[in-house]
Amino acid sequence: MKKSKKIAFSAGIALAIGVINYTGIHYYINSKVDPVTVAYAKDDIPPNTKITKEMVIERSVPSSSLPPEAMVAPSSVIGKYTANNFGISKHSLFYKGKVMAAEKMPNSSVLKLKSGELAFPLLVDLETSLGNSILPDTKVDLFFRGKVETVQKVNGSTITVEKPIYGRIAKGVRVTSVKDTDATNVFSDTKKKQNGGFASPTTGEGKTALAKIYTFAVDEQINEVLNKATLLGEIRPVATGSEELDTTMSDDDIVSWIEGQSFQSASPNDLVTKKDGDQE
């Protein structure tokens, strides 16, 4: 009886030592391997493509095997874009500098367009950009400013008088990008100010980059009116917190006036085809 107890006791000690050894070895291996879940491309992803959840698979690999530029977490790549000149091969890692947020892409103004929207570009200066204070993803109103000639009789004489015309063409238009003279995004969301706002990058000379061109997201009808308006006068973005603005014309009236100043597209009957030998 005593012998069987000793055998059982010895077996228990051996089992305990085995469990401790296994646990210790397992802990030692894990401490050296340090496995981490990493994002990989499920299939080939072309350049300039938005990365969706369906394009990403996860694998557990030793952290020591990862290149320093690898983007580890799936959340760090989903919703971003592959670079214009760099695609991701099937079962490949994602790398910093090759995967970018939409605002970092050269064609960010187009990538931010929603279905049915068109990009309307507008050159601006320090005044019309409100001193570099209109930011991407904010909304502004677009106004037309110009002059119209009217004929009046004064003391029996007929004279031509220029009158100013000013009115709103579009309300609540979204800014998709703000770029400087080098076509570089003026505002960066990766450089936050202490108050949580955007920070302006600096040029090579250390000066603050200034907005030179805005891109707005508009529908097809407004895009047509805006393009006609640029031939007749000036488009100005206006940031306002008020629904009612004092203008010389209502929104509908200003659009109708611009449309009324525009010629319709030429028809085939308007075109004259010269024959061989015809003289100028």
Side-chain angles (χ1 to χ4, degrees), residues 64-105:
S64 59
S65 67
L66 290 175
E69 295 301 312
M71 301 178 72
V72 177
S75 58
S76 66
V77 299
I78 294 174
K80 296 184 179 179
Y81 290 80
T82 52
N84 283 343
N85 58 350
F86 189 88
I88 308 295
S89 300
K90 182 178 180 178
H91 296 166
S92 293
L93 292 164
F94 297 90
Y95 292 94
K96 298 174 184 177
K98 305 302 180 183
V99 174
M100 306 178 185
E103 58 270 15
K104 292 293 184 180
M105 298 287 286

Side-chain angles (χ1 to χ4, degrees), residues 15-42:
L15 179 62
I17 293 173
V19 171
I20 293 172
N21 285 340
Y22 174 80
T23 304
I25 292 171
H26 185 69
Y27 175 79
Y28 176 79
I29 292 174
N30 279 345
S31 66
K32 295 298 181 182
V33 172
D34 190 18
V36 61
T37 301
V38 183
Y40 281 83
K42 183 177 181 180

Side-chain angles (χ1 to χ4, degrees), residues 95-273:
Y95 292 94
K96 298 174 184 177
K98 305 302 180 183
V99 174
M100 306 178 185
E103 58 270 15
K104 292 293 184 180
M105 298 287 286
N107 56 340
S108 59
S109 59
V110 177
L111 293 175
K112 288 186 176 182
L113 293 177
K114 299 177 182 178
S115 178
E117 290 182 333
L118 301 175
F120 176 77
L122 181 67
L123 290 173
V124 297
D125 53 24
L126 189 61
E127 177 187 359
T128 51
S129 68
L130 298 183
N132 244 30
S133 63
I134 298 179
L135 310 179
D137 297 321
T138 57
K139 292 184 178 181
V140 298
D141 294 349
L142 297 181
F143 279 72
F144 172 79
R145 188 173 73 172
K147 294 180 179 180
V148 59
E149 291 185 350
T150 61
V151 176
Q152 296 182 356
K153 286 189 175 181
V154 179
N155 298 326
S157 300
T158 301
I159 61 173
T160 300
V161 179
E162 281 190 343
K163 289 187 175 181
I165 180 172
Y166 181 66
R168 181 168 55 192
I169 298 178
K171 180 180 176 183
V173 176
R174 191 175 80 260
V175 181
T176 59
S177 71
V178 182
K179 297 192 175 185
D180 60 15
T181 53
D182 296 323
T184 300
N185 290 321
V186 171
F187 299 99
S188 171
D189 66 347
T190 60
K191 297 179 180 179
K192 299 289 187 179
K193 292 181 179 178
Q194 290 183 353
N195 61 3
F198 284 89
S200 298
T202 55
T203 63
E205 293 76 24
K207 298 179 181 180
T208 301
L210 298 178
K212 185 62 179 178
I213 184 169
Y214 288 156
T215 306
F216 302 99
V218 297
D219 62 30
E220 185 174 357
Q221 181 181 4
I222 294 299
N223 181 66
E224 182 178 348
V225 175
L226 289 170
N227 277 282
K228 291 177 179 178
T230 56
L231 302 175
L232 300 169
E234 180 186 7
I235 304 296
R236 297 177 68 91
V238 175
T240 175
S242 173
E243 292 290 335
E244 301 297 330
L245 295 172
D246 184 17
T247 62
T248 59
M249 303 177 74
S250 69
D251 295 9
D252 291 338
D253 287 340
I254 191 68
V255 172
S256 297
W257 182 85
I258 292 171
E259 293 282 10
Q261 307 305 307
S262 307
F263 290 103
Q264 293 184 354
S265 300
S267 66
N269 294 331
D270 296 324
L271 304 178
V272 178
T273 304

